[in-house]
Amino acid sequence: MTETVTDLLPLIIEGIQDRKGKNITIVDLSSIESAAASRFVICEGTSSQHVAAVADSVRESLFDKVHVKPYNYDGYTNSQWIVIDYDDTLVHVFLPETRRLYDLEGLWSDAVITQVPDLD
């Protein structure tokens, strides 16, 4: 991989915004030893089809622009919560009600949490 994990963040956000993903939150977990990754990027789509489209956009954006493929991804079966694994960054694309149910921001409330404004 020629890009560092840090360099992927703008492309991840761009991929989310390209398909009108909303309520983007960055959860910086780098100072928490027990965290599964250094960073979560969390967002939502309005329907299961929209969730899948947003996740596809992130994957396509990173592959097309910097030739980076995720290590793994899961959740396309019902597309209520799709997670994409980019090593130190996990991208979570949720339906709003599923996001509220799992409340990752609340679970990791001791992390530094940054909101990214919606484009519209």
Side-chain angles (χ1 to χ4, degrees):
M1 181 163 41
T2 58
E3 301 289 316
T4 65
V5 172
T6 304
D7 295 328
L8 298 181
L9 185 60
L11 295 174
I12 291 168
I13 292 170
E14 182 181 314
I16 293 167
Q17 292 176 331
D18 279 352
R19 297 276 171 84
K20 310 278 190 239
K22 301 284 184 197
N23 299 321
I24 303 169
T25 303
I26 301 162
V27 182
D28 181 352
L29 302 161
S30 59
S31 63
I32 302 172
E33 285 184 32
S34 61
S38 295
R39 176 174 54 213
F40 287 171
V41 179
I42 304 168
C43 69
E44 3 181 295
T46 56
S47 67
S48 58
Q49 294 87 354
H50 189 213
V51 166
V54 170
D56 286 345
S57 180
V58 170
R59 292 173 45 222
E60 291 164 6
S61 178
L62 270 66
F63 185 74
D64 290 347
K65 293 177 180 162
V66 291
H67 308 290
V68 172
K69 289 184 178 181
Y71 289 96
N72 205 350
Y73 51 88
D74 194 22
Y76 278 92
T77 302
N78 62 18
S79 297
Q80 294 181 355
W81 174 8
I82 295 175
V83 63
I84 311 167
D85 180 358
Y86 288 106
D87 190 30
D88 281 349
T89 301
L90 295 178
V91 181
H92 300 270
V93 187
F94 284 101
L95 283 175
E97 58 272 16
T98 308
R99 183 177 185 173
R100 284 190 300 274
L101 177 67
Y102 289 97
D103 188 23
L104 295 183
E105 293 95 332
L107 182 65
W108 296 101
S109 61
D110 48 345
V112 176
I113 297 176
T114 306
Q115 294 294 129
V116 176
D118 289 340
L119 291 181
D120 53 359

